[in-house]
């Protein structure tokens, strides 16, 4: 395999709404460039970048994947990304290491919700963009309508460089306005085409569109503008150079056309990527941080000291953990030691690979700008930097949202603990490392066991089977027995842990789980079956304050509480909220003292016909609460609200989400003032409960 330099590389992330054909386009470009021997199809489960079994079965991308196409002495790294909203962090990771984005839209549906989101992401990373209008062969596909929608949403800098030959079922080729050639394709999916002169009946339209393209290019340069007025046009070389410059400056977003499933239009797209999109070495410098955490700027040259960012990790059944990385400076070589500047230790890098989906292709070295992979790194996670030991540079990765809700995994039998611990370790290995990712973490497993890891999730050990705890109550409610609902770890002292267990209350350890004590002083915990025949001592959620390290909020079937000494004592803060039978509490991700709570009707006998379902909010640590109900359903809270179904948004401080037992999800974008239904008929998930990271 040839080793490419930065000027010969294009790193392109294909992004867009789900079901616009991004994965099929990647398969098309690989097939047309000779990278694969057949055109992969979603329906057959044969695409190169959707290789995970879940992706094959669900027929959509779940995670980002990498493949490469060699085209006219250029290596095009294609980053295929998911389009579903719940997987967009994978898309952001891919955009972090790309030099340009290809925004894929359908010729039928045009601009959709995720189209706007990924456009904003590309703005955030300051990436040049190309727009691919796919599915031009579909019924109701329209070039003119889609172009109008794109220009209305993203402005007049959206400029076509292709025109369609036919539409819907008659779509059989494109006119390239840069080369002024017509590409007519066979309809058998082979990708065979004839490059011919523009059909006579389309020549006039093509001339008009090319004239508009030349004018748009000339607008960005005074010299070209003068030449345009003097000569009435631009030379072919001036047009290509000017178009590439304007794309790099975000002044033109070129539009190309495609039918990936019928393999129509792939070759001109490859030409456009190679000729018009920027190479890595066009950006001469990059920002990072030195060993002191100070911002610095350094060169991207292949001759500079090496630095690379690990942007994704996945587990391969044969190779083990595989780390995908982009080389930002210098040259990385196989069988060489580098410094993990995030964790400050040496890491031996084995055989370097290029990825064609899951297929690994050996390569001796990777130069600045290229993307590759390496298997079985000892202690490297997503988001970490590898560099030279004598130049310990750290590269910033994307910001992942803070956890908004805590979960645990339910074991079917007590003998499953060891298996669960090993599974948690494997899951943790492929998770991204946040800023200052700690080594100590805890995970709770039903019915009531707590695991601890001291190596960042590399391994877990059982801290305490809490069902054998001496404080365990004699009576267990038939409703659910002992269930571990919450785990909270002190931000400054990971040995201090607080857990909430239904039918038992709050328990505390200050020595990492060696010893435990009850921490219920001030909490009303009804323990008589005749008082609450189905629930008993049921604690549902502890929520930490985002700013005050020692402040905790708690809601249970006895009330609302706050502790300012990390659970040593609690004070009732219900203050008028009907919280006799409460459900989870959630704290604001950034503002201290702001919390949300979902109560049940105060009268047990009225549960089946309870009043309006409401969320309550406090902005002063529980001194006062206000009801929030605008847009929420009119129904009994008990028969509506799922446990663990209230959470705040880790990225958007104004976002709050609320789930119901009937499978509905409500969201608020204004901190709970108003709500709207986001989804319905979703299956409730009741088996996951608690997890925490120190």
């Amino acid at each position: 395999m040839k080793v490419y330099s930065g000027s010969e590389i294009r790193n392109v992330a294909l992004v867009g709404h789900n079901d616009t054909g991004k994965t099929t386009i990647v398969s098309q470009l690989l097939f047309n460039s000779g990278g694969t021997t057949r055109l992969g199809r979603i329906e057959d489960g044969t695409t190169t970048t959707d290789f995970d079994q879940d992706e094959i079965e669900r027929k959509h991308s779940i995670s980002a994947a990498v493949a490469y196409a060699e085209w006219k002495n250029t290596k095009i790294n294609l980053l295929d990304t998911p389009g579903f909203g719940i997987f967009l962090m994978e898309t952001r990771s891919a955009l972090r290491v790309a030099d340009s984005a290809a925004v894929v839209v359908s010729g039928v549906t045009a601009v959709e919700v995720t189209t706007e989101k990924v456009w904003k992401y590309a703005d955030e990373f300051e990436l040049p963009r190309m727009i691919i209008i796919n599915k031009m062969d579909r019924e109701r596909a329209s070039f003119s309508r889609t172009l109008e929608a794109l220009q209305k949403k993203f402005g007049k800098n959206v400029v076509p460089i292709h025109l369609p030959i036919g539409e819907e079922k008659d779509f059989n080729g494109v006119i390239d306005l840069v080369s002024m050639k017509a590409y007519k394709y066979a309809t058998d999916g082979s990708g065979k085409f004839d490059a011919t002169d523009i059909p006579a009946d389309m020549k006039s339209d093509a001339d008009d569109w090319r004239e508009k393209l030349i004018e748009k290019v000339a607008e960005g340069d005074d010299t070209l503008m003068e030449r345009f007025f003097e000569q009435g046009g631009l030379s072919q070389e001036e047009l290509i150079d000017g178009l590439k410059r304007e794309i790099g400056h975000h002044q033109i977003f070129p539009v190309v056309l495609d039918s990936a499933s019928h393999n129509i239009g792939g070759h001109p797209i490859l030409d456009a990527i190679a000729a018009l999109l920027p190479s890595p070495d066009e950006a001469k410098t990059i920002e990072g941080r030195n060993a002191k955490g100070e911002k610095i700027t350094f060169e991207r040259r292949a001759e500079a000291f090496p630095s690379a960012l690990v942007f994704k990790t996945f587990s391969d059944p044969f190779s083990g953990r595989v780390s995908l990385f982009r080389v930002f400076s210098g040259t990385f070589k196989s069988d060489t030691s580098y410094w993990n500047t995030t964790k400050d230790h040496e890491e031996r890098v084995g055989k370097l690979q290029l990825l064609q989906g899951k297929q690994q292709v050996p390569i001796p070295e990777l130069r600045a700008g290229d993307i590759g992979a390496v298997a079985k790194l000892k202690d490297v996670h997503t988001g970490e930097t590898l560099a030279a030991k004598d130049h310990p540079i750290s590269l910033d990765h994307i910001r992942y949202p803070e956890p908004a809700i805590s979960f645990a995994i339910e074991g079917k039998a007590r003998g499953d603990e060891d298996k669960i611990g090993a599974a948690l370790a494997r899951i943790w290995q492929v998770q991204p490392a946040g800023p200052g990712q700690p080594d100590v973490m805890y995970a709770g497993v039903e019915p009531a066991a707590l695991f601890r890891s001291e190596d960042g999730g590399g391994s877990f050990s059982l801290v305490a089977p809490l069902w054998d705890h001496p404080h365990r109550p004699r009576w267990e409610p038939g409703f659910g027995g002992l269930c571990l609902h919450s785990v909270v770890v002190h931000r400054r002292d990971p040995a201090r842990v607080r857990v909430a267990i239904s039918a038992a209350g709050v328990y505390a350890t200050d020595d990492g789980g060696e010893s435990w004590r009850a921490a219920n002083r001030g909490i009303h915990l009804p323990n008589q079956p005749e008082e609450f025949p189905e629930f008993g001592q049921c604690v549902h959620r502890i929520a930490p304050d985002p700013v005050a390290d020692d402040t905790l909020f708690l809601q249970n079937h006895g009330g609302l509480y706050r502790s300012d000494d990390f659970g040593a004592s609690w004070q009732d803060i219900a203050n008028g909220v009907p919280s006799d039978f409460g459900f989870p509490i959630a704290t604001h991700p950034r503002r201290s003292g702001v919390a949300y709570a979902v109560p049940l009707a105060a009268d047990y006998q009225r549960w089946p016909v309870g009043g309006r379902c409401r969320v309550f909010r406090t902005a002063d640590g529980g001194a006062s609460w206000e009801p929030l109900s605008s847009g929420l359903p009119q129904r009994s809270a008990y028969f509506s609200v799922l446990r663990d179904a209230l959470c705040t948004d880790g990225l958007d401080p104004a976002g709050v989400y609320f789930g119901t037992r009937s499978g509905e999800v409500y969201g608020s974008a204004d901190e709970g003032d108003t709500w709207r239904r986001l989804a319905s008929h979703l299956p409730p998930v009741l088996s996951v409960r608690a997890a925490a990271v120190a």
Side-chain angles (χ1 to χ4, degrees):
M1 176 66 194
K2 176 184 175 181
V3 176
Y4 286 85
S5 61
S7 61
E8 302 169 311
I9 296 171
R10 306 291 183 271
N11 295 315
V12 186
L14 282 83
V15 298
H17 200 77
N18 58 286
D19 199 34
T20 52
K22 300 179 292 298
T23 300
T24 307
I25 290 174
V26 172
S27 294
Q28 174 195 23
L29 300 183
L30 294 177
F31 176 69
N32 290 340
S33 64
T36 57
T37 57
R38 64 174 177 172
L39 183 64
R41 298 188 181 279
I42 295 288
E43 298 81 6
D44 302 332
T46 56
T47 60
T48 302
T49 48
D50 275 3
F51 54 83
D52 184 86
Q53 190 59 39
D54 283 336
E55 293 176 318
I56 294 172
E57 292 177 0
R58 297 171 185 269
K59 302 190 186 306
H60 67 74
S61 299
I62 294 174
S63 62
V66 179
Y68 65 91
E70 295 178 283
W71 185 254
K72 296 184 177 180
N73 299 317
T74 302
K75 178 173 182 271
I76 303 173
N77 289 320
L78 300 165
L79 294 105
D80 182 23
T81 68
F84 279 93
I86 57 175
F87 305 122
L88 284 183
M89 296 311 295
E90 292 279 326
T91 302
R92 286 173 57 84
S93 293
L95 288 170
R96 171 65 180 90
V97 298
D99 296 303
S100 59
V103 180
V104 182
V105 300
S106 166
V108 179
T109 54
V111 179
E112 299 177 84
V113 174
T114 306
T115 314
E116 299 180 48
K117 288 185 177 181
V118 297
W119 194 274
K120 291 179 181 178
Y121 295 161
D123 282 338
E124 177 185 340
F125 292 110
E126 300 181 349
L127 294 179
R129 267 143 280 177
M130 166 188 287
I131 300 172
I132 302 176
I133 302 179
N134 191 28
K135 301 189 176 183
M136 286 298 298
D137 60 298
R138 299 295 178 88
E139 184 179 353
R140 295 186 298 108
S142 171
F143 166 70
S144 59
R145 186 183 69 245
T146 303
L147 179 63
E148 181 182 359
L150 287 165
Q151 291 179 333
K152 182 178 180 181
K153 177 58 65 175
F154 304 123
K156 295 300 181 182
N157 288 345
V158 174
V159 179
I161 61 172
H162 287 178
L163 294 180
I165 300 176
E167 282 192 350
E168 298 185 355
K169 61 183 175 61
D170 296 323
F171 177 71
N172 65 353
V174 299
I175 294 173
D176 189 329
L177 297 175
V178 178
S179 66
M180 288 302 280
K181 293 282 187 181
Y183 296 84
K184 288 192 173 182
Y185 281 79
T187 57
D188 58 1
S190 64
K192 296 178 179 178
F193 66 94
D194 292 322
T196 65
D197 292 334
I198 298 172
D201 61 338
M202 300 187 68
K203 187 67 167 65
S204 177
D205 282 346
D207 288 339
D208 290 343
W209 280 106
R210 179 179 168 89
E211 186 75 13
K212 294 176 184 177
L213 175 63
I214 292 173
E215 287 183 16
K216 187 66 177 175
V217 170
E219 285 178 6
D221 187 275
D222 292 340
T223 302
L224 290 183
M225 181 62 76
E226 291 177 7
R227 192 161 300 171
F228 174 76
F229 284 122
E230 290 174 1
Q231 302 178 0
L234 301 176
S235 68
Q236 188 69 6
E237 183 179 355
E238 290 170 337
L239 174 60
I240 294 174
D241 290 345
L243 180 56
K244 183 174 182 178
R245 182 184 61 253
E246 293 303 290
I247 292 172
H249 293 165
H250 307 177
Q251 296 305 303
I252 289 180
F253 304 116
V255 178
V256 297
L257 307 177
D258 196 24
S259 169
S261 60
H262 287 76
N263 200 4
I264 298 173
H267 300 83
I269 292 176
L270 286 167
D271 286 340
I273 291 173
L276 301 177
L277 294 185
S279 63
D281 66 352
E282 291 181 32
K284 301 299 182 184
T285 60
I286 185 173
E287 289 187 348
R289 297 181 184 274
N290 60 20
K292 298 179 180 179
E294 301 166 335
K295 282 192 175 183
I296 60 170
T297 301
F298 57 96
E299 295 182 335
R300 291 182 180 236
R301 296 180 300 112
E303 298 76 23
F305 54 84
S307 66
L309 177 67
V310 177
F311 67 93
K312 180 175 174 58
T313 308
F314 70 90
S315 181
D316 182 83
F318 302 104
S319 303
R321 185 172 60 180
V322 179
S323 302
L324 280 66
F325 63 93
R326 158 143 181 195
V327 181
F328 278 94
S329 66
T331 300
F332 267 68
K333 298 185 178 183
S334 294
D335 301 317
T336 305
S337 294
Y338 296 95
W339 196 254
N340 183 332
T341 60
T342 308
K343 293 180 177 174
D344 205 28
H345 68 78
E346 192 171 65
E347 190 74 41
R348 179 72 176 178
V349 172
K351 300 297 182 183
L352 297 178
Q353 313 279 346
L354 298 177
L355 288 185
Q356 198 70 290
K358 66 177 179 179
Q359 180 185 357
Q360 300 175 16
V361 181
I363 192 166
E365 64 182 39
L366 291 167
R367 297 175 183 169
D370 213 345
I371 291 174
V374 63
K376 299 179 180 178
L377 292 178
K378 183 179 179 181
D379 186 19
V380 176
H381 285 83
T382 300
E384 296 179 348
T385 303
L386 296 175
K389 186 174 182 178
D390 54 347
H391 289 89
I393 299 301
S394 296
L395 299 166
D396 290 336
H397 193 39
I398 66 170
R399 177 176 174 264
Y400 288 91
E402 303 253 340
I405 191 167
S406 301
F407 293 141
I409 302 170
E410 178 181 2
K412 290 185 177 180
R414 291 190 182 183
D416 290 340
E417 289 89 357
D418 292 339
K419 296 178 183 178
I420 291 174
L424 286 171
R426 288 197 299 272
I427 292 171
W428 182 251
Q429 287 177 351
V430 301
Q431 295 306 302
Q437 179 67 54
D439 291 330
V440 179
M441 61 181 299
Y442 294 84
V445 179
E446 285 194 359
L450 190 68
F451 287 87
R452 174 185 170 98
S453 172
E454 296 184 354
D455 55 7
S459 61
F460 282 84
S461 60
L462 183 65
V463 173
L466 298 176
W467 54 76
D468 292 332
H469 197 275
H471 290 289
R472 177 186 181 184
R474 289 172 296 175
W475 171 74
E476 294 182 20
F479 175 71
L482 287 167
C483 292
L484 194 153
H485 284 275
S486 297
V487 183
V488 176
V489 184
H490 197 280
R491 280 190 285 266
R492 290 182 286 106
D493 185 358
R496 302 179 67 193
V497 184
R498 305 296 182 258
V499 298
I501 306 173
S502 64
V506 179
Y507 283 84
T509 178
D510 292 330
D511 52 18
E514 295 296 324
S515 61
W516 293 86
R517 66 183 183 278
N520 298 317
R521 185 154 61 94
I523 302 175
H524 173 56
L525 288 174
N527 56 13
Q528 298 300 321
E530 60 271 17
E531 183 177 356
F532 294 106
E534 295 196 25
F535 289 91
Q537 300 175 344
C538 201
V539 175
H540 269 82
R541 176 69 65 200
I542 305 175
D545 188 271
V547 178
D549 291 336
D550 292 327
T551 297
L552 302 174
F553 292 85
L554 178 141
Q555 186 177 18
N556 73 342
H557 284 307
L560 283 164
Y561 302 90
R562 189 184 78 229
S563 172
D564 294 319
D565 49 18
F566 205 61
S569 61
W570 299 86
Q571 57 179 310
D572 191 329
I573 58 170
N575 294 323
V577 177
S579 56
D580 289 13
F581 313 105
F583 270 91
I585 192 167
T587 48
H588 194 282
R590 299 182 191 175
R591 290 168 53 196
S592 181
V594 178
Y596 301 84
V598 180
L600 298 178
D603 183 354
Y604 172 80
Q605 300 300 326
R606 292 182 59 245
W607 278 359
V609 291
R612 187 181 184 95
C613 180
R614 292 186 297 182
V615 176
F616 282 75
R617 178 180 65 198
T618 179
D620 51 17
S624 61
W625 296 82
E626 59 177 321
L628 311 170
S629 58
S630 178
L632 290 177
Q634 292 266 13
R635 63 185 65 176
S636 164
Y638 169 62
F639 286 105
S640 298
V641 182
L642 279 173
R643 66 188 69 185
D644 303 332
L646 177 70
C647 65
T648 50
D649 194 318
L651 283 179
D652 181 1
V656 191
Y657 301 93
F658 171 59
T660 72
R661 178 160 294 184
S662 58
E664 297 173 331
V665 177
Y666 291 82
S668 172
D670 51 15
E671 299 192 355
D673 290 336
T674 58
W675 300 80
R676 65 187 181 94
R677 190 168 66 178
L678 303 178
S680 59
H681 307 298
L682 297 177
V685 180
L686 295 173
S687 61
V688 287
R689 291 282 200 277
V693 177

